Amino acid sequence: YFGWRVDLTAPSLEVTVSLNDEGLHVSLALLRRLDSIECRTRGGLDPHVAWAMVRSLGELPPGGLVCDPMCGKASLLLEALDAHPLCVAAGFDLADAQLEAAIANHTAVPPRIAARLSLMRGDASQLPFAAGGCAAILCD
């Protein structure tokens, strides 16, 4: 006992511990988001990683198009739209199961985000945009 108190309602530090036959893995979250849409969506990229990737984009122009050519469950695009309220986004995936999950996540977020996202079945090697047509391309 070190005099530490655990507060599960408002933690100041996130520690994840995984133990298996190969060893022990301990990680600390270095970035922490103040707001969260993660509780509304299911699966996909870890919400904190998606948040950090979106923040790496910097500023985007109003009306700018954010594209994820292999969107999976659309985690990155939903984070991008939450962070950039004047942008629109397009997500593509060839896997029907991934698109179904993306559509479920799309319907779970607030209308201010959902209205600006288009999801389509498509091949990442054949996107329907001219060169320079996207303000940002995100993919994990």
Side-chain angles (χ1 to χ4, degrees):
Y1 177 77
F2 297 100
W4 296 343
R5 302 184 84 212
V6 176
D7 181 358
L8 298 177
T9 59
S12 57
L13 181 65
E14 178 182 333
V15 180
T16 305
V17 179
S18 299
L19 176 64
N20 61 30
D21 292 338
E22 296 178 14
L24 174 69
H25 175 81
V26 179
S27 64
L28 301 173
L30 298 177
L31 297 172
R32 193 72 185 152
R33 57 188 293 164
L34 300 176
D35 58 339
S36 178
I37 63 168
E38 69 188 81
C39 62
R40 299 183 188 124
T41 61
R42 300 262 182 213
L45 185 64
D46 179 85
H48 300 295
V49 174
W51 178 84
M53 287 178 69
V54 165
R55 293 310 182 273
S56 73
L57 293 175
E59 293 299 316
L60 296 176
L65 174 63
V66 179
C67 175
D68 187 341
M70 297 177 280
C71 70
K73 296 174 177 71
S75 302
L76 277 172
L77 294 174
L78 295 171
E79 287 291 341
L81 293 173
D82 190 38
H84 300 280
L86 300 178
C87 288
V88 295
F92 300 87
D93 210 299
L94 280 175
D96 291 334
Q98 293 285 26
L99 280 175
E100 288 171 13
I103 290 167
N105 283 341
H106 182 215
T107 60
V109 297
R112 67 178 173 78
I113 295 172
R116 297 179 288 123
L117 174 61
S118 295
L119 296 167
M120 295 158 262
R121 188 172 202 287
D123 187 338
S125 67
Q126 299 176 6
L127 297 177
F129 306 116
C134 297
I137 296 178
L138 284 170
C139 194
D140 65 297

